[in-house]
Amino acid sequence: MKTLCNSVVKNIQTSMKAKKLILCFIAFALTLNLHAKDYNASMFGVKSNGTTMNTRSIQRGIDYISSNGGGTLVFYVGRYLTGSIYLKSNVTIRLEEGAILLGSVNPFDYDRNFNWTALVFALDQQNIGITGKGVIDGRGFEVATNLVELIHNGIITDPLRYDRPNESIRPQNIYFRGCRNITISGIMLKDPGSWNQQYDQCRNLTVDAIIVDSKSYWNNDGIDIVDCDSVRVTNCYIDAADDGVCLKSHSPDFICKNVYVYNNKIRTSANGIKFGTASYGGFSNIKIVNNLVFDTYRSAVTFAAVDGGIVENVTVDSLRSINTGNVIFLRIGERRTGKKGRMNNITISNVYAEVPATKPDAGYNYEGPVEDQPRNISPSSIVGMPDAKIENITLRNIEIHHPGGGNPGYAKVGLDELDIVPEMASSYPEFSMFKELPAWGFYIRHAEGIKFENVKLVCEKKDYRTPIVLDDVKDASFEQLKVYEPHKKKVIVYPYRSEKISVR
C-alpha cells in the first residue's frame, strides 16, 4: 500500500513538473512573440534611392517574415519606390523617421482587389500593423493624371465622370479587408489617388496618433471604416479634401459597430465626421468624444440612414466646431425603393460651434463646390421621412453661433409654405440638399422624441427666418432654450403639423 502511495505521489509530482515545463514553454513562446525579430528592409534587396522599383523585394521580405514566425520589416531613412504590396499575418511594417514608402506613378504598378486599388493591401490577415514616424506617400495627383492620359489614349476604359477617373481604379494608400488585430500608429499618410485608408469588414482596429494629409485629388477621404467591429480612431490630425472620419456600410449583412472616435483634429472640404454615405447594414454603438472640427465646408457631424440600414445608439460628446459650414445633420432617406433606414437613440452633448458667413474652406486644395449660390446659410437639421421618423434624439449643452443675415430674396420659404419643402428621399444626403429652409437655427421634420436641454442659439445679424421650425414632429421638449438675435421674434419654436411640444 505504501509503495502504491509513493508511486501516486511521484506521478503527481511528475505531472506537476510537466505542467510547469509546459507553462514555461508557453511563457517563453509568448516572450518570443512579444519580442518578434526586426528585419532591416535592405536584407531583402530593398533600395532606398527613390528610383529602384522595390515591389517584389518588399513583398519577399513580408512573406519571409510571416512564414518565419512573424516580426517587423523596418525601413530606415530613404525613399522606397513600390507598387502594390500585401501585408501578411504577424508582420508589422515600421517606417522610421525619414523613411518614405513612395507610391509608383504608373497606374499599371497597382493591383485591384474587391473592386479597389491600393498601395498596401491586407486581405484576411491578422496581427498586422504599420507604425513609426515615417511617411506613406501615394503621389495621387500624378497617378490620377497618368490615368487620365491612359483613358484618353483608349488603353483604359472609364467614363471619366466629372472629368476624373473612377475612384476604384485610383490607388488608395491602404486597403485592408477581413483582417483582425490591426495597429496603424505614428505615421503620416499623404496624397492618395483616391480614398486614403479603407478598413473593410475588419475587427479590432486601432488607428492612433497619425497625420493625414489627404488633399491631392478628388475623393481624398481621411479614413474610411466600412462594416467594421471594435475600432478606435484616436489622437489623429486629419486634413482631407473629402470626408474626414467616414463610417460606411457597404453590405446589408454587416454593420459598423463599437467604434470610438476620440481626441482628433479634423479639417475637410466635405464633412468632419460622417456616416451613412453608404448605409446598407448600418451603424451601432458609436462614441465620438472630444473632437475638433475646423475650416470644414460641410457639417461637423452628419449621420444618415438612406440605404435601408440603421443608425442607433450614438453618442457625441465634447465637440468643438470652428469655422464650419454646418453643425449637425441627421437624415433618413430611401435611395433604394422600399429600403427605408431607421435612426434612433442619439445623444449630442457639450458642443460649441461657430458657423461662418463666408466659405470656410476657401484657399484649400480641392475646395467644396460653390453650389446653388447665392443662398442663405443652412440651419442644423434633423429630417426623417413621413413613414420613417427619426426617433429619440437628445441635444444637451449646445451653443451655436450663426451668422444670420438671411436674405428673403433667395427663393424664400415662409412659415406658411412648409409643404413646398421637398422630401428628396432618393437624393444624396447633405445638409444643403433642401435648398432654402425657413429656420436659421434648427429645422426638424418627421421626427419623434426630440429633447433640447440647455441649448443656446446666437444669431449675429438680423435674419428673416425663425430660430427653430418643426414640421410633423411629435413629443418634443425644449428646456432652458436660449435664443439671441438682434431683433427678437415673438415665435422661437414654430410647430407645424406637430403635437406634444413643450417649450420652457
Side-chain angles (χ1 to χ4, degrees):
M1 185 68 179
K2 184 178 180 180
T3 303
L4 178 61
C5 288
N6 288 337
S7 177
V8 170
V9 170
K10 285 181 179 180
N11 287 336
I12 291 172
Q13 290 174 337
T14 301
S15 177
M16 290 177 68
K17 287 179 180 178
K19 287 181 180 178
K20 285 181 179 179
L21 285 171
I22 292 171
L23 289 172
C24 287
F25 177 79
I26 292 172
F28 178 69
L30 288 172
T31 301
L32 285 178
N33 189 51
L34 288 171
H35 298 87
K37 187 175 179 180
D38 288 355
Y39 296 84
N40 191 326
S42 64
M43 291 174 55
F44 303 95
V46 178
K47 304 298 182 184
S48 61
N49 54 28
T51 57
T52 300
M53 182 57 70
N54 289 299
T55 308
R56 294 185 68 179
S57 299
I58 294 172
Q59 193 60 57
R60 174 59 179 153
I62 292 170
D63 294 347
Y64 178 89
I65 295 168
S66 180
S67 61
N68 284 273
T72 302
L73 184 62
V74 184
F75 293 79
Y76 293 95
V77 175
R79 294 166 62 84
Y80 300 86
L81 181 64
T82 182
S84 292
I85 57 175
Y86 292 78
L87 201 51
K88 299 293 183 65
S89 290
N90 304 313
V91 177
T92 294
I93 289 175
R94 187 167 77 236
L95 300 171
E96 295 288 0
E97 189 168 8
I100 302 174
L101 200 61
L102 196 64
S104 169
V105 296
N106 184 347
F108 293 123
D109 287 332
Y110 296 94
D111 295 347
R112 196 174 185 189
N113 291 280
F114 296 97
N115 202 40
W116 293 104
T117 310
L119 179 61
V120 184
F121 281 105
L123 308 174
D124 298 313
Q125 305 299 310
Q126 60 184 350
N127 308 324
I128 57 176
I130 306 175
T131 66
K133 296 182 179 180
V135 177
I136 296 179
D137 182 355
R139 297 200 287 181
F141 179 83
E142 295 167 85
V143 179
T145 301
N146 290 337
L147 261 172
V148 171
E149 183 178 356
L150 290 168
I151 292 166
H152 283 313
N153 290 339
I155 306 302
I156 293 175
T157 301
D158 186 87
L160 274 180
R161 188 167 175 256
Y162 301 126
D163 295 321
R164 68 192 76 155
N166 186 278
E167 61 263 33
S168 67
I169 65 172
R170 291 182 263 128
Q172 302 178 31
N173 281 336
I174 293 174
Y175 178 78
F176 290 177
R177 181 183 171 96
C179 296
R180 303 289 181 268
N181 307 328
I182 306 158
T183 299
I184 309 294
S185 69
I187 62 171
M188 173 185 279
L189 285 165
K190 65 174 294 187
D191 295 350
S194 181
W195 302 356
N196 196 340
Q197 49 186 324
Q198 180 180 178
Y199 306 95
D200 190 350
Q201 297 181 15
C202 294
R203 184 181 177 91
N204 297 333
L205 164 67
T206 295
V207 179
D208 180 63
I210 69 169
I211 297 172
V212 171
D213 183 357
S214 186
K215 52 187 189 299
S216 65
Y217 202 70
W218 302 106
N219 308 109
N220 276 184
D221 291 2
I223 176 172
D224 290 277
I225 301 163
V226 182
D227 291 321
C228 292
D229 182 4
S230 302
V231 177
R232 294 174 61 89
V233 179
T234 57
N235 308 310
C236 297
Y237 182 92
I238 296 172
D239 186 0
D242 213 319
D243 297 326
V245 175
C246 191
L247 278 61
K248 294 181 169 74
S249 180
H250 287 166
S251 170
D253 300 322
F254 288 83
I255 63 172
C256 251
K257 60 184 180 180
N258 306 319
V259 178
Y260 184 52
V261 180
Y262 171 77
N263 197 39
N264 302 286
K265 295 179 175 64
I266 303 166
R267 203 286 328 161
T268 91
S269 291
N271 296 276
I273 300 169
K274 179 179 183 178
F275 45 90
T277 303
S279 52
Y280 292 90
F283 314 89
S284 181
N285 298 330
I286 315 295
K287 291 186 177 180
I288 300 166
V289 180
N290 193 39
N291 294 281
L292 167 66
V293 177
F294 68 99
D295 291 3
T296 287
Y297 176 71
R298 298 190 187 275
S299 301
V301 290
T302 289
F303 306 149
V306 294
D307 300 304
I310 62 170
V311 177
E312 64 179 13
N313 304 330
V314 179
T315 298
V316 178
D317 187 18
S318 302
L319 171 70
R320 286 181 62 82
S321 171
I322 306 299
N323 194 39
T324 296
N326 186 255
V327 186
I328 298 165
F329 181 63
L330 310 183
R331 170 66 172 159
I332 290 177
E334 187 182 358
R335 293 199 296 186
R336 297 183 300 156
T337 303
K339 298 291 185 180
K340 296 180 179 66
R342 291 186 292 113
M343 185 178 298
N344 64 82
N345 296 333
I346 296 175
T347 298
I348 302 175
S349 59
N350 303 313
V351 174
Y352 177 83
E354 297 175 359
V355 178
T358 55
K359 199 167 185 291
D361 68 332
Y364 285 92
N365 293 5
Y366 295 92
E367 293 180 23
V370 180
E371 54 185 358
D372 306 312
Q373 298 286 3
R375 65 173 176 81
N376 289 311
I377 305 300
S378 299
S380 291
S381 300
I382 301 171
V383 184
M385 296 180 61
D387 53 352
K389 291 181 169 58
I390 293 177
E391 298 179 330
N392 303 323
I393 308 298
T394 298
L395 274 65
R396 181 183 298 117
N397 301 332
I398 310 289
E399 180 174 343
I400 299 176
H401 291 253
H402 193 279
N407 185 339
Y410 296 166
K412 173 185 174 182
V413 175
L415 296 178
D416 58 346
E417 302 170 295
L418 292 175
D419 289 335
I420 71 172
V421 177
E423 295 291 346
M424 303 188 74
S426 61
S427 298
Y428 188 89
E430 291 290 9
F431 77 91
S432 56
M433 64 189 296
F434 301 107
K435 314 306 179 192
E436 292 298 317
L437 289 171
W440 62 261
F442 274 88
Y443 175 73
I444 306 173
R445 190 185 203 189
H446 308 315
E448 183 171 345
I450 305 297
K451 294 182 180 179
F452 277 43
E453 300 175 2
N454 190 31
V455 173
K456 179 180 178 180
L457 303 176
V458 179
C459 189
E460 304 296 341
K461 293 182 179 180
K462 181 181 178 181
D463 200 300
Y464 76 91
R465 298 170 294 177
T466 302
I468 300 174
V469 173
L470 312 179
D471 183 355
D472 185 27
V473 176
K474 182 179 179 181
D475 189 17
S477 63
F478 299 83
E479 297 185 7
Q480 294 182 291
L481 175 64
K482 305 175 187 71
V483 177
Y484 301 90
E485 50 185 336
H487 296 271
K488 200 166 186 178
K489 299 182 178 66
K490 292 182 180 179
V491 177
I492 301 300
V493 178
Y494 181 84
Y496 174 67
R497 298 186 302 175
S498 299
E499 57 180 311
K500 296 184 179 180
I501 310 301
S502 170
V503 181
R504 290 186 285 182

